[in-house]
Amino acid sequence: MTTTPDLATLTGEYTIDPAHTTIGFTARHAMVTNVKGKFLDFSGTLHLDGTDPARSTATLDVTMDSIDTGSADRDGHLKSSDFFKTDEFPKMTFRSTSAESLGGDDYRITGDLTILGTTRPISIDLEFNGAAKDPFGNERVGFEGKAEIKRSEWGLTWNAALETGGVLVSDKIKLNFDISAIKQA
């Protein structure tokens, strides 16, 4: 049974549960379709302040070699020097700098996203999905989030022109997050 408790009771330290969390992305491909992918290896923490959401924080560390788009060839290309250069830059990181309540169950967390050694600010809109005690006695919280970035702002500029006009890979990338986190005792 999912219940939404008084937010003050949610205050505490949480660890993101990778088995029940998705860190994903969508890119336009060949100007006609979307290609979706996700990262399979990551870790993160949340500090939630239910009394003053502006004091909440988040961290995320993503292993870039764990990229999965459902195509081994495409994944290999994304790991190469054309894109993520995973040998040189094995991690992507996010460190929050501010958080705010937008009203209701909506929040925005802003922070520094580092890809390829370049750090730029990003804002992620989050919806609080609720809190519950799981069958193993863990206190869990859930959030869904989304953001859009231009990959070129992090130096991800590889592309190929199409005969019909346009490019193979969009500059705009949609990020999506389905986060389940467990409260630390």
Side-chain angles (χ1 to χ4, degrees):
M1 180 172 108
T2 300
T3 60
T4 302
D6 172 33
L7 289 180
T9 65
L10 298 179
T11 297
E13 305 301 320
Y14 293 78
T15 300
I16 293 175
D17 176 6
H20 297 98
T21 296
T22 302
I23 308 297
F25 60 89
T26 304
R28 290 293 275 172
H29 181 261
M31 309 298 290
V32 297
T33 192
N34 288 320
V35 169
K36 295 182 180 190
K38 60 186 173 183
F39 294 95
L40 303 176
D41 184 11
F42 53 86
S43 62
T45 61
L46 304 175
H47 166 75
L48 299 183
D49 189 322
T51 305
D52 183 3
R55 295 179 54 190
S56 297
T57 61
T59 69
L60 183 65
D61 294 293
V62 177
T63 302
M64 298 306 285
D65 260 344
S66 73
I67 197 166
D68 179 12
T69 64
S71 165
D73 288 344
R74 180 173 42 235
D75 295 347
H77 190 204
L78 289 169
K79 294 174 189 180
S80 79
S81 61
D82 284 342
F83 287 95
F84 291 119
K85 304 175 187 171
T86 59
D87 288 343
E88 187 179 350
F89 301 99
K91 296 279 186 196
M92 171 175 60
T93 63
F94 175 81
R95 300 291 181 266
S96 67
T97 55
S98 67
E100 62 184 306
S101 172
L102 302 177
D105 289 334
D106 296 326
Y107 299 87
R108 179 172 293 138
I109 192 153
T110 299
D112 294 326
L113 178 64
T114 302
I115 306 172
L116 293 175
T118 298
T119 302
R120 297 189 49 83
I122 179 176
S123 290
I124 302 167
D125 289 336
L126 294 165
E127 180 181 358
F128 175 62
N129 286 340
K133 185 175 282 200
D134 71 20
F136 307 103
N138 297 309
E139 295 288 341
R140 287 184 178 267
V141 292
F143 293 91
E144 284 183 63
K146 62 184 177 187
E148 288 185 2
I149 63 170
K150 289 186 176 182
R151 64 186 179 93
S152 59
E153 293 180 348
W154 281 267
L156 293 162
T157 57
W158 183 91
N159 227 325
L162 300 175
E163 286 182 23
T164 54
V167 292
L168 188 63
V169 183
S170 62
D171 189 31
K172 182 173 75 173
I173 306 295
K174 295 178 182 177
L175 305 177
N176 55 72
F177 308 90
D178 285 305
I179 298 166
S180 178
I182 300 170
K183 192 172 192 177
Q184 300 306 295

